[in-house]
PDB file of all heavy atoms in Angstrom:
ATOM      1  N   LEU A 312      34.508  40.919   5.032  1.00 87.00           N
ATOM      2  CA  LEU A 312      35.354  40.183   5.860  1.00 87.00           C
ATOM      3  C   LEU A 312      34.902  38.683   5.835  1.00 87.00           C
ATOM      4  O   LEU A 312      35.787  37.813   5.898  1.00 87.00           O
ATOM      5  CB  LEU A 312      35.534  40.732   7.279  1.00 87.00           C
ATOM      6  CG  LEU A 312      36.225  41.959   7.495  1.00 87.00           C
ATOM      7  CD1 LEU A 312      36.246  42.358   8.934  1.00 87.00           C
ATOM      8  CD2 LEU A 312      37.700  41.790   6.999  1.00 87.00           C
ATOM      9  N   ALA A 313      33.583  38.458   5.607  1.00 85.00           N
ATOM     10  CA  ALA A 313      33.079  37.081   5.561  1.00 85.00           C
ATOM     11  C   ALA A 313      33.594  36.509   4.254  1.00 85.00           C
ATOM     12  O   ALA A 313      33.994  35.326   4.194  1.00 85.00           O
ATOM     13  CB  ALA A 313      31.544  37.089   5.519  1.00 85.00           C
ATOM     14  N   THR A 314      33.687  37.336   3.176  1.00 86.00           N
ATOM     15  CA  THR A 314      34.247  36.892   1.863  1.00 86.00           C
ATOM     16  C   THR A 314      35.774  36.608   2.070  1.00 86.00           C
ATOM     17  O   THR A 314      36.256  35.514   1.574  1.00 86.00           O
ATOM     18  CB  THR A 314      34.040  37.950   0.813  1.00 86.00           C
ATOM     19  OG1 THR A 314      32.662  38.165   0.611  1.00 86.00           O
ATOM     20  CG2 THR A 314      34.654  37.498  -0.522  1.00 86.00           C
ATOM     21  N   VAL A 315      36.462  37.420   2.777  1.00 91.00           N
ATOM     22  CA  VAL A 315      37.955  37.156   2.979  1.00 91.00           C
ATOM     23  C   VAL A 315      38.090  35.909   3.709  1.00 91.00           C
ATOM     24  O   VAL A 315      38.997  35.059   3.412  1.00 91.00           O
ATOM     25  CB  VAL A 315      38.538  38.381   3.816  1.00 91.00           C
ATOM     26  CG1 VAL A 315      40.005  38.034   4.144  1.00 91.00           C
ATOM     27  CG2 VAL A 315      38.503  39.654   2.945  1.00 91.00           C
ATOM     28  N   GLN A 316      37.392  35.638   4.717  1.00 91.00           N
ATOM     29  CA  GLN A 316      37.500  34.421   5.554  1.00 91.00           C
ATOM     30  C   GLN A 316      37.336  33.223   4.616  1.00 91.00           C
ATOM     31  O   GLN A 316      38.081  32.242   4.721  1.00 91.00           O
ATOM     32  CB  GLN A 316      36.528  34.416   6.719  1.00 91.00           C
ATOM     33  CG  GLN A 316      36.781  33.217   7.622  1.00 91.00           C
ATOM     34  CD  GLN A 316      35.696  33.156   8.720  1.00 91.00           C
ATOM     35  OE1 GLN A 316      34.484  33.038   8.388  1.00 91.00           O
ATOM     36  NE2 GLN A 316      36.136  33.195   9.937  1.00 91.00           N
ATOM     37  N   ARG A 317      36.342  33.203   3.844  1.00 89.00           N
ATOM     38  CA  ARG A 317      36.082  32.027   2.970  1.00 89.00           C
ATOM     39  C   ARG A 317      37.160  31.734   1.955  1.00 89.00           C
ATOM     40  O   ARG A 317      37.612  30.702   1.664  1.00 89.00           O
ATOM     41  CB  ARG A 317      34.777  32.190   2.287  1.00 89.00           C
ATOM     42  CG  ARG A 317      33.505  31.847   3.152  1.00 89.00           C
ATOM     43  CD  ARG A 317      32.245  32.517   2.631  1.00 89.00           C
ATOM     44  NE  ARG A 317      31.127  32.074   3.479  1.00 89.00           N
ATOM     45  CZ  ARG A 317      30.863  32.455   4.721  1.00 89.00           C
ATOM     46  NH1 ARG A 317      31.751  33.343   5.337  1.00 89.00           N
ATOM     47  NH2 ARG A 317      29.902  32.025   5.401  1.00 89.00           N
ATOM     48  N   ILE A 318      37.771  32.923   1.401  1.00 91.00           N
ATOM     49  CA  ILE A 318      38.848  32.760   0.500  1.00 91.00           C
ATOM     50  C   ILE A 318      40.131  32.162   1.189  1.00 91.00           C
ATOM     51  O   ILE A 318      40.755  31.281   0.722  1.00 91.00           O
ATOM     52  CB  ILE A 318      39.257  34.196  -0.039  1.00 91.00           C
ATOM     53  CG1 ILE A 318      38.181  34.644  -0.979  1.00 91.00           C
ATOM     54  CG2 ILE A 318      40.591  34.111  -0.768  1.00 91.00           C
ATOM     55  CD1 ILE A 318      38.334  36.119  -1.439  1.00 91.00           C
ATOM     56  N   ILE A 319      40.333  32.672   2.438  1.00 94.00           N
ATOM     57  CA  ILE A 319      41.516  32.179   3.240  1.00 94.00           C
ATOM     58  C   ILE A 319      41.337  30.587   3.543  1.00 94.00           C
ATOM     59  O   ILE A 319      42.293  29.854   3.426  1.00 94.00           O
ATOM     60  CB  ILE A 319      41.772  32.942   4.486  1.00 94.00           C
ATOM     61  CG1 ILE A 319      42.150  34.390   4.096  1.00 94.00           C
ATOM     62  CG2 ILE A 319      42.872  32.315   5.314  1.00 94.00           C
ATOM     63  CD1 ILE A 319      43.342  34.525   3.113  1.00 94.00           C
ATOM     64  N   HIS A 320      40.099  30.382   3.921  1.00 92.00           N
ATOM     65  CA  HIS A 320      39.821  28.934   4.353  1.00 92.00           C
ATOM     66  C   HIS A 320      39.988  28.104   3.120  1.00 92.00           C
ATOM     67  O   HIS A 320      40.405  26.877   3.235  1.00 92.00           O
ATOM     68  CB  HIS A 320      38.378  28.849   4.982  1.00 92.00           C
ATOM     69  CG  HIS A 320      38.330  29.328   6.331  1.00 92.00           C
ATOM     70  ND1 HIS A 320      37.165  29.397   7.136  1.00 92.00           N
ATOM     71  CD2 HIS A 320      39.248  29.847   7.159  1.00 92.00           C
ATOM     72  CE1 HIS A 320      37.398  29.809   8.257  1.00 92.00           C
ATOM     73  NE2 HIS A 320      38.716  30.076   8.357  1.00 92.00           N
ATOM     74  N   ARG A 321      39.483  28.560   1.959  1.00 90.00           N
ATOM     75  CA  ARG A 321      39.665  27.729   0.662  1.00 90.00           C
ATOM     76  C   ARG A 321      41.152  27.496   0.364  1.00 90.00           C
ATOM     77  O   ARG A 321      41.464  26.513  -0.326  1.00 90.00           O
ATOM     78  CB  ARG A 321      38.987  28.383  -0.518  1.00 90.00           C
ATOM     79  CG  ARG A 321      37.495  28.373  -0.386  1.00 90.00           C
ATOM     80  CD  ARG A 321      36.888  28.529  -1.777  1.00 90.00           C
ATOM     81  NE  ARG A 321      37.210  27.323  -2.651  1.00 90.00           N
ATOM     82  CZ  ARG A 321      36.982  27.302  -3.955  1.00 90.00           C
ATOM     83  NH1 ARG A 321      36.489  28.407  -4.560  1.00 90.00           N
ATOM     84  NH2 ARG A 321      37.249  26.158  -4.627  1.00 90.00           N
ATOM     85  N   HIS A 322      41.981  28.361   0.909  1.00 91.00           N
ATOM     86  CA  HIS A 322      43.483  28.191   0.762  1.00 91.00           C
ATOM     87  C   HIS A 322      44.125  27.473   1.882  1.00 91.00           C
ATOM     88  O   HIS A 322      45.373  27.421   1.999  1.00 91.00           O
ATOM     89  CB  HIS A 322      44.125  29.494   0.577  1.00 91.00           C
ATOM     90  CG  HIS A 322      43.942  30.158  -0.777  1.00 91.00           C
ATOM     91  ND1 HIS A 322      42.805  30.724  -1.179  1.00 91.00           N
ATOM     92  CD2 HIS A 322      44.691  30.167  -1.944  1.00 91.00           C
ATOM     93  CE1 HIS A 322      42.830  31.307  -2.376  1.00 91.00           C
ATOM     94  NE2 HIS A 322      44.067  30.911  -2.849  1.00 91.00           N
ATOM     95  N   GLY A 323      43.290  26.802   2.681  1.00 92.00           N
ATOM     96  CA  GLY A 323      43.819  25.957   3.744  1.00 92.00           C
ATOM     97  C   GLY A 323      44.511  26.838   4.843  1.00 92.00           C
ATOM     98  O   GLY A 323      45.282  26.288   5.726  1.00 92.00           O
ATOM     99  N   GLY A 324      44.116  28.117   4.911  1.00 93.00           N
ATOM    100  CA  GLY A 324      44.820  29.055   5.856  1.00 93.00           C
ATOM    101  C   GLY A 324      43.785  29.416   6.994  1.00 93.00           C
ATOM    102  O   GLY A 324      42.710  28.961   7.051  1.00 93.00           O
ATOM    103  N   LYS A 325      44.302  30.315   7.851  1.00 93.00           N
ATOM    104  CA  LYS A 325      43.546  30.865   8.930  1.00 93.00           C
ATOM    105  C   LYS A 325      43.573  32.342   8.864  1.00 93.00           C
ATOM    106  O   LYS A 325      44.581  32.964   8.345  1.00 93.00           O
ATOM    107  CB  LYS A 325      44.068  30.366  10.189  1.00 93.00           C
ATOM    108  CG  LYS A 325      43.988  28.816  10.494  1.00 93.00           C
ATOM    109  CD  LYS A 325      44.596  28.460  11.787  1.00 93.00           C
ATOM    110  CE  LYS A 325      44.501  26.961  12.018  1.00 93.00           C
ATOM    111  NZ  LYS A 325      45.197  26.571  13.360  1.00 93.00           N
ATOM    112  N   ILE A 326      42.530  33.072   9.460  1.00 93.00           N
ATOM    113  CA  ILE A 326      42.604  34.447   9.535  1.00 93.00           C
ATOM    114  C   ILE A 326      42.014  34.862  10.901  1.00 93.00           C
ATOM    115  O   ILE A 326      41.055  34.332  11.372  1.00 93.00           O
ATOM    116  CB  ILE A 326      41.805  35.104   8.395  1.00 93.00           C
ATOM    117  CG1 ILE A 326      41.823  36.654   8.525  1.00 93.00           C
ATOM    118  CG2 ILE A 326      40.365  34.628   8.335  1.00 93.00           C
ATOM    119  CD1 ILE A 326      41.365  37.380   7.259  1.00 93.00           C
ATOM    120  N   TRP A 327      42.653  35.827  11.536  1.00 93.00           N
ATOM    121  CA  TRP A 327      42.210  36.379  12.783  1.00 93.00           C
ATOM    122  C   TRP A 327      42.510  37.817  12.864  1.00 93.00           C
ATOM    123  O   TRP A 327      43.311  38.396  12.070  1.00 93.00           O
ATOM    124  CB  TRP A 327      42.756  35.589  13.890  1.00 93.00           C
ATOM    125  CG  TRP A 327      44.252  35.626  14.109  1.00 93.00           C
ATOM    126  CD1 TRP A 327      44.902  36.357  15.005  1.00 93.00           C
ATOM    127  CD2 TRP A 327      45.274  34.863  13.379  1.00 93.00           C
ATOM    128  NE1 TRP A 327      46.283  36.131  14.908  1.00 93.00           N
ATOM    129  CE2 TRP A 327      46.497  35.260  13.939  1.00 93.00           C
ATOM    130  CE3 TRP A 327      45.214  33.874  12.309  1.00 93.00           C
ATOM    131  CZ2 TRP A 327      47.698  34.617  13.440  1.00 93.00           C
ATOM    132  CZ3 TRP A 327      46.359  33.354  11.889  1.00 93.00           C
ATOM    133  CH2 TRP A 327      47.618  33.711  12.384  1.00 93.00           C
ATOM    134  N   ALA A 328      42.040  38.483  13.885  1.00 90.00           N
ATOM    135  CA  ALA A 328      42.247  39.969  14.046  1.00 90.00           C
ATOM    136  C   ALA A 328      42.420  40.313  15.483  1.00 90.00           C
ATOM    137  O   ALA A 328      41.979  39.643  16.324  1.00 90.00           O
ATOM    138  CB  ALA A 328      41.028  40.621  13.341  1.00 90.00           C
ATOM    139  N   GLU A 329      43.134  41.395  15.694  1.00 90.00           N
ATOM    140  CA  GLU A 329      43.272  42.014  16.973  1.00 90.00           C
ATOM    141  C   GLU A 329      43.116  43.542  16.855  1.00 90.00           C
ATOM    142  O   GLU A 329      43.502  44.062  15.811  1.00 90.00           O
ATOM    143  CB  GLU A 329      44.762  41.759  17.476  1.00 90.00           C
ATOM    144  CG  GLU A 329      45.038  40.222  17.744  1.00 90.00           C
ATOM    145  CD  GLU A 329      46.512  40.068  18.105  1.00 90.00           C
ATOM    146  OE1 GLU A 329      47.246  41.074  18.142  1.00 90.00           O
ATOM    147  OE2 GLU A 329      46.895  38.911  18.347  1.00 90.00           O
ATOM    148  N   GLY A 330      42.562  44.117  17.848  1.00 88.00           N
ATOM    149  CA  GLY A 330      42.294  45.533  17.762  1.00 88.00           C
ATOM    150  C   GLY A 330      42.052  46.174  19.123  1.00 88.00           C
ATOM    151  O   GLY A 330      41.811  45.458  20.119  1.00 88.00           O
ATOM    152  N   LYS A 331      42.186  47.529  19.143  1.00 89.00           N
ATOM    153  CA  LYS A 331      41.849  48.315  20.311  1.00 89.00           C
ATOM    154  C   LYS A 331      41.099  49.508  19.819  1.00 89.00           C
ATOM    155  O   LYS A 331      41.364  50.115  18.789  1.00 89.00           O
ATOM    156  CB  LYS A 331      43.111  48.811  21.000  1.00 89.00           C
ATOM    157  CG  LYS A 331      43.849  47.671  21.706  1.00 89.00           C
ATOM    158  CD  LYS A 331      45.090  48.196  22.522  1.00 89.00           C
ATOM    159  CE  LYS A 331      45.802  47.128  23.302  1.00 89.00           C
ATOM    160  NZ  LYS A 331      46.945  47.616  24.080  1.00 89.00           N
ATOM    161  N   VAL A 332      40.017  49.853  20.565  1.00 86.00           N
ATOM    162  CA  VAL A 332      39.202  50.963  20.224  1.00 86.00           C
ATOM    163  C   VAL A 332      40.073  52.213  20.032  1.00 86.00           C
ATOM    164  O   VAL A 332      40.795  52.632  20.970  1.00 86.00           O
ATOM    165  CB  VAL A 332      38.137  51.170  21.185  1.00 86.00           C
ATOM    166  CG1 VAL A 332      37.224  52.454  20.842  1.00 86.00           C
ATOM    167  CG2 VAL A 332      37.191  49.951  21.280  1.00 86.00           C
ATOM    168  N   ASN A 333      39.887  52.918  18.870  1.00 85.00           N
ATOM    169  CA  ASN A 333      40.616  54.123  18.551  1.00 85.00           C
ATOM    170  C   ASN A 333      42.144  53.959  18.445  1.00 85.00           C
ATOM    171  O   ASN A 333      42.860  54.971  18.451  1.00 85.00           O
ATOM    172  CB  ASN A 333      40.227  55.273  19.439  1.00 85.00           C
ATOM    173  CG  ASN A 333      38.820  55.587  19.410  1.00 85.00           C
ATOM    174  OD1 ASN A 333      38.165  55.640  18.327  1.00 85.00           O
ATOM    175  ND2 ASN A 333      38.112  55.871  20.563  1.00 85.00           N
ATOM    176  N   GLN A 334      42.640  52.795  18.509  1.00 86.00           N
ATOM    177  CA  GLN A 334      44.092  52.504  18.449  1.00 86.00           C
ATOM    178  C   GLN A 334      44.477  51.610  17.279  1.00 86.00           C
ATOM    179  O   GLN A 334      45.573  51.115  17.269  1.00 86.00           O
ATOM    180  CB  GLN A 334      44.565  51.984  19.773  1.00 86.00           C
ATOM    181  CG  GLN A 334      44.389  52.925  20.935  1.00 86.00           C
ATOM    182  CD  GLN A 334      44.999  52.397  22.196  1.00 86.00           C
ATOM    183  OE1 GLN A 334      46.186  51.877  22.172  1.00 86.00           O
ATOM    184  NE2 GLN A 334      44.311  52.474  23.268  1.00 86.00           N
ATOM    185  N   GLY A 335      43.572  51.352  16.358  1.00 89.00           N
ATOM    186  CA  GLY A 335      43.918  50.557  15.169  1.00 89.00           C
ATOM    187  C   GLY A 335      43.617  49.054  15.272  1.00 89.00           C
ATOM    188  O   GLY A 335      43.019  48.552  16.322  1.00 89.00           O
ATOM    189  N   ALA A 336      43.839  48.388  14.192  1.00 91.00           N
ATOM    190  CA  ALA A 336      43.581  46.992  14.081  1.00 91.00           C
ATOM    191  C   ALA A 336      44.632  46.219  13.316  1.00 91.00           C
ATOM    192  O   ALA A 336      45.309  46.900  12.441  1.00 91.00           O
ATOM    193  CB  ALA A 336      42.269  46.704  13.452  1.00 91.00           C
ATOM    194  N   VAL A 337      44.742  45.028  13.462  1.00 93.00           N
ATOM    195  CA  VAL A 337      45.701  44.219  12.600  1.00 93.00           C
ATOM    196  C   VAL A 337      44.965  42.888  12.272  1.00 93.00           C
ATOM    197  O   VAL A 337      44.366  42.257  13.104  1.00 93.00           O
ATOM    198  CB  VAL A 337      47.084  43.932  13.241  1.00 93.00           C
ATOM    199  CG1 VAL A 337      46.853  43.307  14.675  1.00 93.00           C
ATOM    200  CG2 VAL A 337      47.955  43.152  12.395  1.00 93.00           C
ATOM    201  N   PHE A 338      44.985  42.598  11.034  1.00 94.00           N
ATOM    202  CA  PHE A 338      44.421  41.322  10.507  1.00 94.00           C
ATOM    203  C   PHE A 338      45.565  40.378  10.082  1.00 94.00           C
ATOM    204  O   PHE A 338      46.418  40.806   9.328  1.00 94.00           O
ATOM    205  CB  PHE A 338      43.520  41.534   9.310  1.00 94.00           C
ATOM    206  CG  PHE A 338      42.215  42.122   9.688  1.00 94.00           C
ATOM    207  CD1 PHE A 338      42.095  43.516   9.968  1.00 94.00           C
ATOM    208  CD2 PHE A 338      41.057  41.388   9.876  1.00 94.00           C
ATOM    209  CE1 PHE A 338      40.900  44.078  10.394  1.00 94.00           C
ATOM    210  CE2 PHE A 338      39.861  41.930  10.275  1.00 94.00           C
ATOM    211  CZ  PHE A 338      39.725  43.209  10.542  1.00 94.00           C
ATOM    212  N   TYR A 339      45.617  39.197  10.602  1.00 95.00           N
ATOM    213  CA  TYR A 339      46.619  38.176  10.232  1.00 95.00           C
ATOM    214  C   TYR A 339      45.946  37.019   9.422  1.00 95.00           C
ATOM    215  O   TYR A 339      44.827  36.732   9.578  1.00 95.00           O
ATOM    216  CB  TYR A 339      47.131  37.514  11.523  1.00 95.00           C
ATOM    217  CG  TYR A 339      47.762  38.448  12.533  1.00 95.00           C
ATOM    218  CD1 TYR A 339      46.952  38.951  13.593  1.00 95.00           C
ATOM    219  CD2 TYR A 339      49.126  38.891  12.465  1.00 95.00           C
ATOM    220  CE1 TYR A 339      47.586  39.802  14.566  1.00 95.00           C
ATOM    221  CE2 TYR A 339      49.656  39.764  13.451  1.00 95.00           C
ATOM    222  CZ  TYR A 339      48.857  40.220  14.407  1.00 95.00           C
ATOM    223  OH  TYR A 339      49.370  41.023  15.406  1.00 95.00           O
ATOM    224  N   PHE A 340      46.780  36.585   8.494  1.00 95.00           N
ATOM    225  CA  PHE A 340      46.231  35.365   7.742  1.00 95.00           C
ATOM    226  C   PHE A 340      47.430  34.542   7.283  1.00 95.00           C
ATOM    227  O   PHE A 340      48.603  35.044   7.011  1.00 95.00           O
ATOM    228  CB  PHE A 340      45.302  35.819   6.588  1.00 95.00           C
ATOM    229  CG  PHE A 340      46.075  36.508   5.512  1.00 95.00           C
ATOM    230  CD1 PHE A 340      46.638  35.883   4.322  1.00 95.00           C
ATOM    231  CD2 PHE A 340      46.227  37.927   5.428  1.00 95.00           C
ATOM    232  CE1 PHE A 340      47.262  36.560   3.353  1.00 95.00           C
ATOM    233  CE2 PHE A 340      46.824  38.640   4.503  1.00 95.00           C
ATOM    234  CZ  PHE A 340      47.341  37.971   3.393  1.00 95.00           C
ATOM    235  N   THR A 341      47.070  33.213   7.084  1.00 93.00           N
ATOM    236  CA  THR A 341      48.081  32.271   6.528  1.00 93.00           C
ATOM    237  C   THR A 341      47.499  31.625   5.201  1.00 93.00           C
ATOM    238  O   THR A 341      46.308  31.722   5.010  1.00 93.00           O
ATOM    239  CB  THR A 341      48.407  31.174   7.516  1.00 93.00           C
ATOM    240  OG1 THR A 341      47.137  30.385   7.743  1.00 93.00           O
ATOM    241  CG2 THR A 341      48.989  31.697   8.783  1.00 93.00           C
ATOM    242  N   VAL A 342      48.391  31.235   4.411  1.00 92.00           N
ATOM    243  CA  VAL A 342      47.903  30.620   3.168  1.00 92.00           C
ATOM    244  C   VAL A 342      48.664  29.225   2.925  1.00 92.00           C
ATOM    245  O   VAL A 342      49.926  29.237   2.844  1.00 92.00           O
ATOM    246  CB  VAL A 342      48.211  31.550   1.933  1.00 92.00           C
ATOM    247  CG1 VAL A 342      47.722  30.843   0.624  1.00 92.00           C
ATOM    248  CG2 VAL A 342      47.470  32.879   2.108  1.00 92.00           C
ATOM    249  N   GLN A 343      48.006  28.180   2.893  1.00 84.00           N
ATOM    250  CA  GLN A 343      48.594  26.853   2.655  1.00 84.00           C
ATOM    251  C   GLN A 343      47.718  25.973   1.739  1.00 84.00           C
ATOM    252  O   GLN A 343      47.080  25.034   2.162  1.00 84.00           O
ATOM    253  CB  GLN A 343      48.688  26.118   4.031  1.00 84.00           C
ATOM    254  CG  GLN A 343      49.767  26.747   4.943  1.00 84.00           C
ATOM    255  CD  GLN A 343      49.962  25.941   6.179  1.00 84.00           C
ATOM    256  OE1 GLN A 343      49.028  25.913   7.088  1.00 84.00           O
ATOM    257  NE2 GLN A 343      50.985  25.200   6.284  1.00 84.00           N
TER     258      GLN A 343
END
């Protein structure tokens, strides 16, 4: 995920995540 963040930042974007224990997770990202 550290690698993913650097890739997204190099594309001028943002990445963030939301989750609940035992209820899944979602990762959001933008690319600009």
